[in-house]
Amino acid sequence: MTLSAARTAPPCAFVLFGANGDLTQRLVFPALYNLAAQKLLPPAFAILAVTRGEFGDSAMREHLRGGLNNFCKQPLDRGIVDDLLARMSTVVADASDSASFVRLRDALAAADAAHGTQGNRIFYLAVPPRGFIPTVQALGKAGLTQEISGQFARVIVEKPFGADLASAMKLNADLRTILKEDQIFRIDHYLGKETVQNILMLRFANGLFEPIWKREHVDHVQITVAESVTIGRRGAFYDETGALRDMVPNHLFQLLSLVAMEPPARLDAQSVRSEKARALDAIRLMTPQEALANSVRAQYVAGKIGDLQIADYRGEANVSPTSATETFVAMRLAIDNWRWAGVPFYLRTGKALAQRYTEVAIKFREAPISMFRGIDLDGLRSNYLVLQIAPDEGITLQFNAKTPGPDLSIQRVGMRFRYSDYFDATPATGYETLLFDCMIGDSMLYQRDDGVEAGWRAVEPFLEAWKIAGEQGLALYRAGSAGPTEADALLARDGRRWRSLT
Ligand code: BG6
Protein backbone atom coordinates (compact mmCIF):
# COMPACT_ATOMS: atom_id res chain seq x y z
CA MET A 1 0.00 0.00 0.00
CA THR A 2 2.95 2.32 0.40
CA LEU A 3 5.20 3.02 -2.49
CA SER A 4 8.06 3.36 -0.08
CA ALA A 5 11.59 2.84 -1.24
CA ALA A 6 12.09 0.74 1.89
CA ARG A 7 9.97 -1.93 0.27
CA THR A 8 11.84 -2.68 -2.90
CA ALA A 9 10.27 -4.89 -5.47
CA PRO A 10 12.13 -8.13 -6.13
CA PRO A 11 13.38 -9.12 -9.60
CA CYS A 12 10.51 -10.29 -11.79
CA ALA A 13 9.19 -10.81 -15.29
CA PHE A 14 5.89 -9.13 -16.04
CA VAL A 15 3.89 -11.13 -18.57
CA LEU A 16 1.17 -9.08 -20.14
CA PHE A 17 -1.58 -11.04 -21.86
CA GLY A 18 -3.64 -8.83 -24.15
CA ALA A 19 -0.65 -6.58 -24.75
CA ASN A 20 -2.12 -5.22 -27.98
CA GLY A 21 -5.33 -4.15 -26.22
CA ASP A 22 -6.74 -0.90 -24.99
CA LEU A 23 -6.21 -1.54 -21.28
CA THR A 24 -2.51 -2.20 -21.74
CA GLN A 25 -2.07 0.93 -23.79
CA ARG A 26 -4.13 3.25 -21.60
CA LEU A 27 -3.35 2.05 -18.12
CA VAL A 28 -1.03 -0.87 -17.52
CA PHE A 29 1.97 0.21 -19.55
CA PRO A 30 1.72 3.88 -18.49
CA ALA A 31 1.60 2.63 -14.89
CA LEU A 32 4.79 0.64 -15.46
CA TYR A 33 6.37 3.77 -16.89
CA ASN A 34 5.32 5.80 -13.84
CA LEU A 35 6.77 3.16 -11.53
CA ALA A 36 10.01 3.22 -13.52
CA ALA A 37 10.10 7.03 -13.33
CA GLN A 38 9.69 6.81 -9.54
CA LYS A 39 12.47 4.21 -9.43
CA LEU A 40 10.08 1.64 -8.07
CA LEU A 41 10.67 -1.08 -10.63
CA PRO A 42 13.35 -3.57 -9.71
CA PRO A 43 16.58 -3.24 -11.71
CA ALA A 44 16.05 -6.87 -12.79
CA PHE A 45 12.80 -6.49 -14.67
CA ALA A 46 11.49 -7.81 -17.97
CA ILE A 47 8.22 -7.41 -19.83
CA LEU A 48 6.81 -10.13 -22.04
CA ALA A 49 4.07 -8.73 -24.22
CA VAL A 50 1.79 -11.57 -25.21
CA THR A 51 -0.58 -11.46 -28.17
CA ARG A 52 -2.65 -14.22 -29.74
CA GLY A 53 -1.68 -13.27 -33.28
CA GLU A 54 1.67 -12.17 -34.68
CA PHE A 55 2.42 -8.54 -33.71
CA GLY A 56 6.18 -8.23 -33.80
CA ASP A 57 8.64 -6.48 -31.50
CA SER A 58 8.83 -3.18 -33.34
CA ALA A 59 5.04 -2.86 -33.88
CA MET A 60 4.56 -3.59 -30.17
CA ARG A 61 7.13 -0.96 -29.20
CA GLU A 62 5.26 1.59 -31.28
CA HIS A 63 1.92 0.53 -29.80
CA LEU A 64 3.23 0.90 -26.25
CA ARG A 65 5.09 4.12 -26.99
CA GLY A 66 1.86 5.48 -28.49
CA GLY A 67 0.08 4.62 -25.24
CA LEU A 68 2.63 6.55 -23.21
CA ASN A 69 2.41 9.54 -25.53
CA ASN A 70 -1.36 9.61 -25.37
CA PHE A 71 -2.09 8.59 -21.81
CA CYS A 72 0.76 9.83 -19.61
CA LYS A 73 -0.14 13.32 -18.50
CA GLN A 74 3.41 14.48 -17.83
CA PRO A 75 6.34 15.02 -20.21
CA LEU A 76 8.06 11.71 -20.80
CA ASP A 77 11.68 10.94 -20.02
CA ARG A 78 13.02 9.44 -23.22
CA GLY A 79 15.72 7.45 -21.43
CA ILE A 80 13.18 5.72 -19.17
CA VAL A 81 10.87 4.96 -22.10
CA ASP A 82 13.71 3.45 -24.11
CA ASP A 83 14.95 1.44 -21.17
CA LEU A 84 11.48 0.06 -20.51
CA LEU A 85 10.95 -0.84 -24.14
CA ALA A 86 14.36 -2.48 -24.30
CA ARG A 87 13.23 -4.82 -21.52
CA MET A 88 10.20 -5.85 -23.55
CA SER A 89 9.93 -8.78 -25.91
CA THR A 90 6.85 -10.11 -27.66
CA VAL A 91 5.53 -13.62 -27.54
CA VAL A 92 2.69 -15.10 -29.56
CA ALA A 93 0.67 -17.45 -27.36
CA ASP A 94 -2.85 -18.76 -27.57
CA ALA A 95 -4.37 -20.74 -24.72
CA SER A 96 -5.78 -23.30 -27.15
CA ASP A 97 -2.28 -24.11 -28.41
CA SER A 98 -0.18 -25.67 -25.66
CA ALA A 99 2.97 -25.55 -27.81
CA SER A 100 2.71 -21.75 -27.71
CA PHE A 101 2.88 -21.80 -23.91
CA VAL A 102 6.01 -23.91 -24.12
CA ARG A 103 7.43 -21.08 -26.24
CA LEU A 104 6.32 -18.65 -23.55
CA ARG A 105 8.17 -20.75 -20.96
CA ASP A 106 11.30 -20.61 -23.14
CA ALA A 107 10.90 -16.85 -23.51
CA LEU A 108 10.67 -16.53 -19.72
CA ALA A 109 13.83 -18.58 -19.30
CA ALA A 110 15.52 -16.29 -21.82
CA ALA A 111 14.30 -13.23 -19.88
CA ASP A 112 15.69 -14.71 -16.67
CA ALA A 113 19.05 -15.09 -18.37
CA ALA A 114 19.03 -11.68 -20.04
CA HIS A 115 17.54 -9.56 -17.24
CA GLY A 116 18.19 -11.57 -14.07
CA THR A 117 14.51 -11.94 -13.24
CA GLN A 118 15.26 -15.09 -11.23
CA GLY A 119 12.19 -17.11 -12.14
CA ASN A 120 9.71 -14.70 -10.51
CA ARG A 121 6.66 -14.07 -12.67
CA ILE A 122 3.58 -11.88 -12.69
CA PHE A 123 0.95 -12.78 -15.27
CA TYR A 124 -1.43 -9.93 -16.00
CA LEU A 125 -4.63 -11.04 -17.70
CA ALA A 126 -5.70 -7.97 -19.66
CA VAL A 127 -7.98 -10.19 -21.72
CA PRO A 128 -11.75 -10.63 -21.97
CA PRO A 129 -13.21 -12.72 -19.09
CA ARG A 130 -13.75 -15.78 -21.28
CA GLY A 131 -9.96 -15.92 -21.62
CA PHE A 132 -9.20 -16.00 -17.86
CA ILE A 133 -9.52 -19.72 -17.17
CA PRO A 134 -8.12 -21.06 -20.48
CA THR A 135 -5.06 -18.83 -20.00
CA VAL A 136 -4.51 -19.91 -16.41
CA GLN A 137 -5.02 -23.55 -17.40
CA ALA A 138 -2.47 -23.23 -20.19
CA LEU A 139 -0.03 -21.60 -17.76
CA GLY A 140 -0.60 -24.45 -15.33
CA LYS A 141 -0.05 -27.07 -18.01
CA ALA A 142 3.21 -25.44 -19.02
CA GLY A 143 4.34 -25.58 -15.38
CA LEU A 144 4.38 -21.81 -15.15
CA THR A 145 2.13 -21.46 -12.11
CA GLN A 146 4.35 -23.53 -9.83
CA GLU A 147 6.23 -21.67 -7.16
CA ILE A 148 9.45 -23.58 -6.66
CA SER A 149 12.37 -22.76 -4.41
CA GLY A 150 11.06 -19.43 -3.21
CA GLN A 151 10.13 -18.10 -6.64
CA PHE A 152 6.70 -16.57 -7.13
CA ALA A 153 4.07 -16.91 -9.84
CA ARG A 154 1.21 -14.44 -9.38
CA VAL A 155 -1.79 -13.87 -11.61
CA ILE A 156 -3.60 -10.55 -11.84
CA VAL A 157 -7.21 -11.03 -12.92
CA GLU A 158 -9.04 -8.04 -14.36
CA LYS A 159 -12.70 -7.24 -13.91
CA PRO A 160 -15.45 -8.18 -14.62
CA PHE A 161 -14.99 -11.02 -12.15
CA GLY A 162 -18.06 -13.08 -13.02
CA ALA A 163 -21.44 -11.85 -14.16
CA ASP A 164 -23.39 -13.08 -11.14
CA LEU A 165 -22.83 -15.08 -7.97
CA ALA A 166 -22.76 -18.47 -9.69
CA SER A 167 -20.26 -17.45 -12.36
CA ALA A 168 -18.04 -15.67 -9.83
CA MET A 169 -18.05 -18.74 -7.60
CA LYS A 170 -17.19 -20.94 -10.56
CA LEU A 171 -14.39 -18.61 -11.60
CA ASN A 172 -12.98 -18.70 -8.07
CA ALA A 173 -13.27 -22.48 -7.92
CA ASP A 174 -11.65 -22.92 -11.33
CA LEU A 175 -8.79 -20.57 -10.45
CA ARG A 176 -8.22 -22.46 -7.22
CA THR A 177 -7.78 -25.75 -9.04
CA ILE A 178 -4.56 -24.28 -10.46
CA LEU A 179 -3.53 -21.48 -8.12
CA LYS A 180 -3.41 -20.94 -4.38
CA GLU A 181 -5.45 -17.99 -3.12
CA ASP A 182 -2.27 -16.02 -2.39
CA GLN A 183 -1.27 -16.31 -6.05
CA ILE A 184 -4.53 -14.71 -7.24
CA PHE A 185 -4.70 -10.91 -7.45
CA ARG A 186 -8.23 -9.79 -8.38
CA ILE A 187 -7.90 -6.18 -9.37
CA ASP A 188 -10.39 -3.41 -8.71
CA HIS A 189 -8.84 -0.14 -9.77
CA TYR A 190 -10.86 1.80 -7.18
CA LEU A 191 -8.53 0.39 -4.56
CA GLY A 192 -5.64 2.02 -6.38
CA LYS A 193 -7.13 5.47 -5.84
CA GLU A 194 -5.39 7.38 -3.08
CA THR A 195 -8.63 8.83 -1.74
CA VAL A 196 -10.23 5.41 -1.55
CA GLN A 197 -7.25 4.05 0.40
CA ASN A 198 -7.45 7.13 2.55
CA ILE A 199 -10.85 6.08 3.92
CA LEU A 200 -8.93 3.54 6.03
CA MET A 201 -6.54 6.20 7.30
CA LEU A 202 -9.28 8.72 8.01
CA ARG A 203 -11.21 6.22 10.05
CA PHE A 204 -8.47 4.35 11.82
CA ALA A 205 -5.52 6.73 12.10
CA ASN A 206 -7.67 9.38 13.82
CA GLY A 207 -9.31 9.18 17.20
CA LEU A 208 -11.91 11.71 16.14
CA PHE A 209 -14.19 9.88 13.77
CA GLU A 210 -14.50 6.30 14.94
CA PRO A 211 -16.51 7.04 18.10
CA ILE A 212 -19.28 8.65 16.02
CA TRP A 213 -19.04 6.23 13.09
CA LYS A 214 -22.16 4.26 13.98
CA ARG A 215 -25.91 4.14 14.07
CA GLU A 216 -26.20 6.28 17.20
CA HIS A 217 -24.79 9.25 15.27
CA VAL A 218 -25.09 8.52 11.56
CA ASP A 219 -28.42 9.15 9.87
CA HIS A 220 -27.51 7.58 6.54
CA VAL A 221 -24.71 7.17 4.01
CA GLN A 222 -24.83 8.20 0.34
CA ILE A 223 -22.40 6.82 -2.19
CA THR A 224 -22.42 8.49 -5.58
CA VAL A 225 -20.35 7.54 -8.60
CA ALA A 226 -21.68 9.80 -11.34
CA GLU A 227 -20.10 9.75 -14.78
CA SER A 228 -20.66 12.16 -17.62
CA VAL A 229 -19.23 9.76 -20.19
CA THR A 230 -21.56 7.65 -22.25
CA ILE A 231 -20.76 4.10 -23.19
CA GLY A 232 -18.62 5.16 -26.12
CA ARG A 233 -17.21 2.23 -28.05
CA ARG A 234 -18.15 -0.28 -25.37
CA GLY A 235 -21.74 -0.83 -26.53
CA ALA A 236 -21.51 -4.59 -26.97
CA PHE A 237 -19.94 -5.14 -23.54
CA TYR A 238 -22.10 -2.61 -21.76
CA ASP A 239 -25.42 -3.72 -23.18
CA GLU A 240 -24.80 -7.20 -21.75
CA THR A 241 -23.47 -5.86 -18.49
CA GLY A 242 -25.41 -2.78 -17.37
CA ALA A 243 -24.62 -0.25 -14.67
CA LEU A 244 -25.21 -2.56 -11.74
CA ARG A 245 -22.80 -5.33 -12.78
CA ASP A 246 -20.29 -2.84 -14.17
CA MET A 247 -20.03 -0.70 -11.04
CA VAL A 248 -21.86 -1.88 -7.93
CA PRO A 249 -20.51 -5.22 -6.67
CA ASN A 250 -17.00 -4.00 -7.40
CA HIS A 251 -16.30 -0.25 -7.25
CA LEU A 252 -19.24 0.97 -5.15
CA PHE A 253 -18.90 -1.97 -2.78
CA GLN A 254 -15.23 -1.17 -2.27
CA LEU A 255 -16.32 2.25 -1.05
CA LEU A 256 -19.16 0.81 0.99
CA SER A 257 -17.05 -1.85 2.67
CA LEU A 258 -14.29 0.58 3.61
CA VAL A 259 -16.86 2.87 5.19
CA ALA A 260 -18.84 0.11 6.89
CA MET A 261 -16.12 -2.32 8.02
CA GLU A 262 -15.04 -2.85 11.62
CA PRO A 263 -11.50 -1.82 12.57
CA PRO A 264 -9.13 -4.57 11.41
CA ALA A 265 -6.79 -6.11 13.97
CA ARG A 266 -3.82 -5.34 11.73
CA LEU A 267 -3.24 -3.34 8.59
CA ASP A 268 -2.54 -6.42 6.53
CA ALA A 269 -4.15 -8.31 3.69
CA GLN A 270 -5.87 -10.94 5.82
CA SER A 271 -7.28 -8.67 8.53
CA VAL A 272 -8.43 -5.88 6.25
CA ARG A 273 -10.00 -8.17 3.68
CA SER A 274 -11.72 -10.26 6.35
CA GLU A 275 -13.37 -7.15 7.81
CA LYS A 276 -14.38 -5.89 4.37
CA ALA A 277 -15.91 -9.25 3.49
CA ARG A 278 -17.73 -9.33 6.81
CA ALA A 279 -19.25 -5.92 6.12
CA LEU A 280 -20.48 -7.04 2.71
CA ASP A 281 -21.79 -10.22 4.24
CA ALA A 282 -23.92 -8.15 6.60
CA ILE A 283 -25.79 -6.45 3.73
CA ARG A 284 -29.37 -7.62 4.07
CA LEU A 285 -30.26 -10.16 1.40
CA MET A 286 -33.54 -9.03 -0.08
CA THR A 287 -36.25 -10.97 -1.78
CA PRO A 288 -36.64 -10.02 -5.46
CA GLN A 289 -39.79 -8.05 -4.49
CA GLU A 290 -37.87 -6.12 -1.85
CA ALA A 291 -35.09 -5.54 -4.35
CA LEU A 292 -37.58 -3.99 -6.77
CA ALA A 293 -38.99 -1.77 -4.05
CA ASN A 294 -35.54 -0.64 -2.96
CA SER A 295 -33.99 0.17 -6.31
CA VAL A 296 -34.36 2.29 -9.39
CA ARG A 297 -32.88 1.37 -12.74
CA ALA A 298 -32.93 3.73 -15.64
CA GLN A 299 -31.60 4.32 -19.10
CA TYR A 300 -30.54 7.60 -20.65
CA VAL A 301 -32.30 9.20 -23.57
CA ALA A 302 -31.06 11.99 -25.81
CA GLY A 303 -29.87 15.15 -24.13
CA LYS A 304 -26.99 17.56 -23.88
CA ILE A 305 -23.90 17.33 -21.69
CA GLY A 306 -22.31 20.74 -21.92
CA ASP A 307 -22.30 21.47 -25.63
CA LEU A 308 -22.29 17.84 -26.57
CA GLN A 309 -25.47 16.39 -28.02
CA ILE A 310 -25.95 12.84 -26.77
CA ALA A 311 -28.14 10.30 -28.55
CA ASP A 312 -30.50 7.82 -26.90
CA TYR A 313 -28.67 4.92 -25.27
CA ARG A 314 -30.62 2.61 -27.57
CA GLY A 315 -29.19 4.44 -30.55
CA GLU A 316 -25.55 3.84 -29.50
CA ALA A 317 -23.38 1.55 -31.61
CA ASN A 318 -23.71 -2.15 -30.75
CA VAL A 319 -26.65 -1.58 -28.42
CA SER A 320 -29.95 -3.33 -29.06
CA PRO A 321 -32.64 -0.86 -30.24
CA THR A 322 -34.99 -2.49 -27.72
CA SER A 323 -32.42 -2.78 -24.94
CA ALA A 324 -33.69 -2.83 -21.34
CA THR A 325 -30.16 -2.47 -19.96
CA GLU A 326 -29.83 0.08 -17.17
CA THR A 327 -27.28 2.87 -17.51
CA PHE A 328 -28.20 4.21 -14.07
CA VAL A 329 -28.93 2.47 -10.84
CA ALA A 330 -29.91 3.70 -7.41
CA MET A 331 -30.45 1.42 -4.48
CA ARG A 332 -31.15 1.45 -0.80
CA LEU A 333 -29.26 -1.16 1.18
CA ALA A 334 -29.43 -2.15 4.82
CA ILE A 335 -26.48 -3.48 6.77
CA ASP A 336 -27.68 -5.78 9.49
CA ASN A 337 -25.11 -5.50 12.23
CA TRP A 338 -24.77 -3.67 15.53
CA ARG A 339 -22.95 -0.74 14.01
CA TRP A 340 -25.31 -0.02 11.13
CA ALA A 341 -28.76 -1.42 11.91
CA GLY A 342 -31.33 1.16 10.83
CA VAL A 343 -28.84 3.29 8.86
CA PRO A 344 -29.67 3.14 5.15
CA PHE A 345 -26.85 3.11 2.62
CA TYR A 346 -28.03 4.78 -0.57
CA LEU A 347 -25.98 4.05 -3.67
CA ARG A 348 -26.26 5.58 -7.13
CA THR A 349 -24.20 5.41 -10.25
CA GLY A 350 -24.84 6.17 -13.89
CA LYS A 351 -23.50 7.21 -17.24
CA ALA A 352 -24.27 10.37 -19.24
CA LEU A 353 -25.03 12.35 -16.09
CA ALA A 354 -24.58 16.08 -15.66
CA GLN A 355 -21.04 15.72 -14.45
CA ARG A 356 -18.35 13.36 -13.27
CA TYR A 357 -18.54 13.26 -9.53
CA THR A 358 -17.65 10.60 -6.98
CA GLU A 359 -18.18 10.97 -3.27
CA VAL A 360 -19.14 9.19 -0.11
CA ALA A 361 -21.28 11.39 2.11
CA ILE A 362 -21.98 10.50 5.72
CA LYS A 363 -24.93 12.38 7.10
CA PHE A 364 -25.05 12.77 10.85
CA ARG A 365 -28.19 12.91 12.92
CA GLU A 366 -29.85 16.27 13.46
CA ALA A 367 -29.23 18.23 16.60
CA PRO A 368 -32.28 18.63 18.87
CA ILE A 369 -33.23 22.15 17.86
CA SER A 370 -35.83 23.13 20.42
CA MET A 371 -33.43 25.58 22.12
CA PHE A 372 -33.37 27.58 18.87
CA ARG A 373 -37.13 28.16 18.87
CA GLY A 374 -37.90 31.59 17.47
CA ILE A 375 -34.61 31.86 15.61
CA ASP A 376 -34.30 31.92 11.83
CA LEU A 377 -33.43 28.34 11.10
CA ASP A 378 -33.82 28.48 7.34
CA GLY A 379 -30.09 28.19 6.94
CA LEU A 380 -29.80 25.23 9.26
CA ARG A 381 -28.38 22.26 7.40
CA SER A 382 -27.41 18.75 8.27
CA ASN A 383 -23.87 17.81 9.18
CA TYR A 384 -22.21 15.94 6.39
CA LEU A 385 -18.75 14.47 6.26
CA VAL A 386 -18.00 14.19 2.56
CA LEU A 387 -15.18 12.08 1.21
CA GLN A 388 -14.55 13.36 -2.29
CA ILE A 389 -12.97 10.90 -4.66
CA ALA A 390 -13.34 12.59 -8.06
CA PRO A 391 -12.75 14.92 -9.75
CA ASP A 392 -11.35 16.86 -6.77
CA GLU A 393 -9.86 14.76 -4.04
CA GLY A 394 -10.46 15.81 -0.49
CA ILE A 395 -12.62 15.75 2.59
CA THR A 396 -15.22 18.29 3.63
CA LEU A 397 -17.03 18.67 6.92
CA GLN A 398 -20.22 20.67 6.73
CA PHE A 399 -21.68 22.21 9.85
CA ASN A 400 -23.73 25.19 11.01
CA ALA A 401 -22.42 28.52 12.20
CA LYS A 402 -23.91 31.78 13.36
CA THR A 403 -24.03 34.46 10.73
CA PRO A 404 -22.32 37.69 11.85
CA GLY A 405 -24.35 40.55 13.29
CA PRO A 406 -26.91 41.12 15.99
CA ASP A 407 -29.57 38.94 14.31
CA LEU A 408 -29.38 35.38 15.43
CA SER A 409 -29.44 33.27 12.33
CA ILE A 410 -27.63 30.20 11.17
CA GLN A 411 -25.86 29.24 8.00
CA ARG A 412 -24.06 26.16 6.78
CA VAL A 413 -20.28 26.45 6.50
CA GLY A 414 -17.60 23.96 5.67
CA MET A 415 -14.07 22.91 6.52
CA ARG A 416 -12.27 21.64 3.50
CA PHE A 417 -9.15 19.55 3.09
CA ARG A 418 -7.86 19.33 -0.46
CA TYR A 419 -5.27 16.72 -1.27
CA SER A 420 -3.58 19.05 -3.67
CA ASP A 421 -3.03 21.64 -0.93
CA TYR A 422 -0.93 19.23 1.08
CA PHE A 423 0.60 16.77 -1.31
CA ASP A 424 2.31 17.01 -4.65
CA ALA A 425 0.47 15.02 -7.23
CA THR A 426 2.61 12.23 -8.65
CA PRO A 427 1.55 11.36 -12.17
CA ALA A 428 -0.52 8.21 -11.86
CA THR A 429 -3.04 6.09 -13.68
CA GLY A 430 -4.26 4.53 -10.43
CA TYR A 431 -2.64 1.18 -11.27
CA GLU A 432 0.83 1.96 -9.91
CA THR A 433 0.25 1.04 -6.28
CA LEU A 434 -1.62 -2.08 -7.30
CA LEU A 435 1.13 -3.32 -9.62
CA PHE A 436 3.81 -2.51 -7.07
CA ASP A 437 1.88 -4.33 -4.35
CA CYS A 438 1.59 -7.41 -6.54
CA MET A 439 5.36 -7.35 -7.09
CA ILE A 440 6.00 -7.30 -3.34
CA GLY A 441 3.26 -9.86 -2.71
CA ASP A 442 0.91 -7.60 -0.75
CA SER A 443 -2.68 -8.38 -1.66
CA MET A 444 -4.40 -6.01 0.77
CA LEU A 445 -5.64 -3.83 -2.07
CA TYR A 446 -6.82 -6.76 -4.14
CA GLN A 447 -10.08 -8.57 -3.74
CA ARG A 448 -10.26 -11.89 -1.95
CA ASP A 449 -12.62 -14.66 -3.07
CA ASP A 450 -15.01 -14.28 -0.12
CA GLY A 451 -15.33 -10.51 -0.64
CA VAL A 452 -16.14 -10.92 -4.32
CA GLU A 453 -18.75 -13.55 -3.57
CA ALA A 454 -20.34 -11.56 -0.75
CA GLY A 455 -20.68 -8.63 -3.15
CA TRP A 456 -22.41 -10.67 -5.82
CA ARG A 457 -24.64 -12.31 -3.21
CA ALA A 458 -25.94 -8.90 -2.14
CA VAL A 459 -26.80 -7.77 -5.68
CA GLU A 460 -28.18 -11.10 -6.85
CA PRO A 461 -31.82 -10.32 -5.85
CA PHE A 462 -31.69 -7.13 -7.92
CA LEU A 463 -30.37 -8.99 -10.97
CA GLU A 464 -33.04 -11.64 -10.60
CA ALA A 465 -35.87 -9.20 -10.11
CA TRP A 466 -34.84 -7.06 -13.08
CA LYS A 467 -34.46 -10.04 -15.34
CA ILE A 468 -38.04 -11.00 -14.68
CA ALA A 469 -39.33 -7.44 -14.95
CA GLY A 470 -37.58 -6.78 -18.30
CA GLU A 471 -38.47 -3.39 -19.65
CA GLN A 472 -41.19 -2.94 -17.07
CA GLY A 473 -40.01 -0.60 -14.37
CA LEU A 474 -37.10 0.73 -16.40
CA ALA A 475 -37.11 4.50 -15.89
CA LEU A 476 -35.65 7.03 -18.32
CA TYR A 477 -33.50 10.09 -17.72
CA ARG A 478 -32.19 12.77 -19.96
CA ALA A 479 -28.50 12.69 -20.78
CA GLY A 480 -26.89 15.58 -18.93
CA SER A 481 -29.39 15.47 -16.07
CA ALA A 482 -28.87 14.35 -12.48
CA GLY A 483 -30.62 11.04 -13.16
CA PRO A 484 -34.25 9.91 -13.08
CA THR A 485 -36.81 11.51 -10.77
CA GLU A 486 -37.63 8.00 -9.57
CA ALA A 487 -34.23 8.00 -7.80
CA ASP A 488 -35.30 11.12 -5.92
CA ALA A 489 -38.52 9.41 -4.94
CA LEU A 490 -36.57 6.47 -3.50
CA LEU A 491 -35.07 8.78 -0.88
CA ALA A 492 -38.08 11.06 -0.53
CA ARG A 493 -39.99 8.03 0.73
CA ASP A 494 -37.63 8.01 3.71
CA GLY A 495 -37.86 11.78 4.11
CA ARG A 496 -34.37 12.23 2.66
CA ARG A 497 -32.81 13.51 -0.51
CA TRP A 498 -29.73 13.07 -2.62
CA ARG A 499 -27.00 15.60 -2.40
CA SER A 500 -26.97 17.81 -5.42
CA LEU A 501 -25.06 16.58 -8.44
CA THR A 502 -24.93 19.84 -10.27
C1 BG6 B 1 -14.78 0.68 -15.03
C2 BG6 B 1 -16.12 0.55 -15.69
O1 BG6 B 1 -14.50 -0.45 -14.25
O2 BG6 B 1 -14.77 1.85 -14.21
C3 BG6 B 1 -16.41 1.78 -16.50
O3 BG6 B 1 -16.14 -0.61 -16.52
C4 BG6 B 1 -16.30 3.02 -15.65
O4 BG6 B 1 -17.71 1.70 -17.09
C5 BG6 B 1 -14.98 3.05 -14.89
O5 BG6 B 1 -16.39 4.15 -16.51
C6 BG6 B 1 -14.99 4.18 -13.89
O6 BG6 B 1 -13.71 4.36 -13.36
P1 BG6 B 1 -13.23 5.79 -12.83
O7 BG6 B 1 -11.89 5.52 -12.26
O8 BG6 B 1 -13.22 6.70 -14.00
O9 BG6 B 1 -14.24 6.20 -11.80
Side-chain angles (χ1 to χ4, degrees):
M1 183 174 185
T2 26
L3 295 184
S4 102
R7 299 204 295 169
T8 36
C12 68
F14 192 86
V15 184
L16 194 41
F17 288 93
N20 51 337
D22 206 40
L23 181 69
T24 297
Q25 220 196 12
R26 273 189 309 118
L27 294 163
V28 184
F29 198 66
L32 289 175
Y33 170 85
N34 288 334
L35 285 173
Q38 293 168 52
K39 303 204 177 349
L40 288 165
L41 285 186
F45 187 71
I47 302 168
L48 275 79
V50 183
T51 52
R52 288 171 64 204
E54 194 61 57
F55 210 82
D57 275 3
S58 66
M60 182 57 75
R61 285 206 172 87
E62 283 329 296
H63 171 73
L64 298 176
R65 204 188 284 279
L68 297 183
N69 289 334
N70 290 332
F71 300 107
C72 283
K73 289 171 193 119
Q74 74 282 24
L76 297 172
D77 180 320
R78 186 81 198 258
I80 296 173
V81 177
D82 291 345
D83 177 63
L84 209 52
L85 291 174
R87 292 168 185 277
M88 190 275 305
S89 50
T90 54
V91 181
V92 178
D94 188 322
S96 61
D97 169 15
S98 46
S100 67
F101 274 65
V102 174
R103 285 200 299 277
L104 173 62
R105 193 174 62 201
D106 295 344
L108 277 163
D112 285 343
H115 300 285
T117 41
Q118 298 182 14
N120 292 327
R121 289 102 177 64
I122 291 178
F123 301 102
Y124 194 113
L125 307 187
V127 297
R130 64 176 179 282
F132 294 164
I133 291 302
T135 308
V136 173
Q137 280 168 342
L139 287 171
K141 233 163 120 192
L144 287 168
T145 53
Q146 281 166 25
E147 298 189 307
I148 26 176
S149 40
Q151 295 162 334
F152 62 77
R154 298 176 184 142
V155 178
I156 302 183
V157 187
E158 261 294 335
K159 80 176 267 268
F161 197 92
D164 53 19
L165 178 60
S167 55
M169 286 174 79
K170 177 157 184 353
L171 189 48
N172 276 329
D174 289 350
L175 286 171
R176 281 192 305 252
T177 60
I178 303 152
L179 302 163
K180 295 186 294 306
E181 178 61 32
D182 67 4
Q183 292 179 281
I184 308 170
F185 288 70
R186 299 171 192 81
I187 207 162
D188 182 320
H189 78 278
Y190 265 52
L191 287 174
K193 293 179 191 279
E194 291 292 342
T195 27
V196 173
Q197 292 170 43
N198 196 45
I199 299 174
L200 272 178
M201 296 308 141
L202 175 85
R203 288 191 58 193
F204 304 128
N206 296 295
L208 178 63
F209 300 108
E210 209 42 32
I212 53 167
W213 209 265
K214 52 174 138 173
R215 58 198 293 258
E216 287 81 357
H217 302 284
V218 175
D219 176 73
H220 75 273
V221 177
Q222 290 188 18
I223 301 180
T224 298
V225 181
E227 296 187 274
S228 55
V229 291
T230 62
I231 50 141
R233 292 184 291 142
R234 302 165 75 216
F237 160 79
Y238 197 87
D239 208 33
E240 273 205 0
T241 307
L244 186 139
R245 285 190 171 93
D246 190 37
M247 300 294 287
V248 176
N250 32 65
H251 306 328
L252 274 84
F253 278 7
Q254 293 303 339
L255 300 174
L256 178 141
S257 56
L258 288 167
V259 170
M261 70 193 275
E262 293 300 315
R266 280 172 298 279
L267 195 63
D268 67 19
Q270 291 314 337
S271 303
V272 170
R273 296 190 302 175
S274 295
E275 292 305 340
K276 285 173 65 189
R278 238 193 293 272
L280 293 175
D281 236 357
I283 296 177
R284 185 180 305 161
L285 296 182
M286 298 189 196
T287 62
Q289 290 72 18
E290 287 168 337
L292 278 185
N294 284 288
S295 67
V296 170
R297 66 195 162 109
Q299 194 180 77
Y300 65 81
V301 293
K304 260 187 153 185
I305 304 178
D307 290 336
L308 203 64
Q309 184 61 47
I310 307 293
D312 286 352
Y313 170 73
R314 289 180 185 179
E316 300 268 19
N318 300 320
V319 167
S320 156
T322 57
S323 172
T325 299
E326 79 288 353
T327 59
F328 175 99
V329 51
M331 53 214 298
R332 176 191 196 278
L333 297 177
I335 299 186
D336 285 335
N337 60 20
W338 281 77
R339 187 186 283 265
W340 296 117
V343 179
F345 279 64
Y346 299 104
L347 276 53
R348 64 176 162 166
T349 182
K351 302 269 186 222
L353 293 169
Q355 63 166 328
R356 172 168 178 252
Y357 191 72
T358 301
E359 68 165 34
V360 177
I362 292 131
K363 185 183 171 210
F364 291 91
R365 290 193 186 283
E366 308 283 344
I369 52 171
S370 54
M371 65 171 275
F372 294 119
R373 224 169 275 140
I375 297 175
D376 171 13
L377 285 181
D378 280 357
L380 189 77
R381 293 287 180 272
S382 313
N383 296 142
Y384 274 104
L385 179 69
V386 184
L387 317 179
Q388 288 151 320
I389 318 266
D392 293 331
E393 304 187 314
I395 298 172
T396 304
L397 182 63
Q398 295 173 349
F399 56 98
N400 296 299
K402 180 190 164 302
T403 51
D407 280 351
L408 213 50
S409 71
I410 290 176
Q411 190 183 311
R412 184 178 69 187
V413 295
M415 288 198 295
R416 177 133 201 237
F417 153 70
R418 265 199 215 94
Y419 260 77
S420 53
D421 291 344
Y422 284 78
F423 306 114
D424 289 337
T426 347
T429 63
Y431 274 61
E432 290 77 5
T433 309
L434 300 175
L435 297 184
F436 181 83
D437 281 358
C438 181
M439 287 180 215
I440 62 170
D442 182 349
S443 46
M444 188 170 91
L445 297 178
Y446 285 87
Q447 302 201 79
R448 206 170 59 188
D449 50 0
D450 53 348
V452 171
E453 291 174 16
W456 279 116
R457 198 167 290 118
V459 299
E460 195 80 349
F462 297 87
L463 292 172
E464 260 178 55
W466 296 355
K467 195 160 123 197
I468 296 164
E471 197 172 344
Q472 219 180 17
L474 178 74
L476 300 175
Y477 64 102
R478 202 173 30 77
S481 70
T485 50
E486 287 81 348
D488 299 335
L490 183 72
L491 269 68
R493 235 169 47 196
D494 297 346
R496 300 188 172 102
R497 58 180 181 183
W498 293 108
R499 285 165 47 78
S500 164
L501 241 200
T502 43

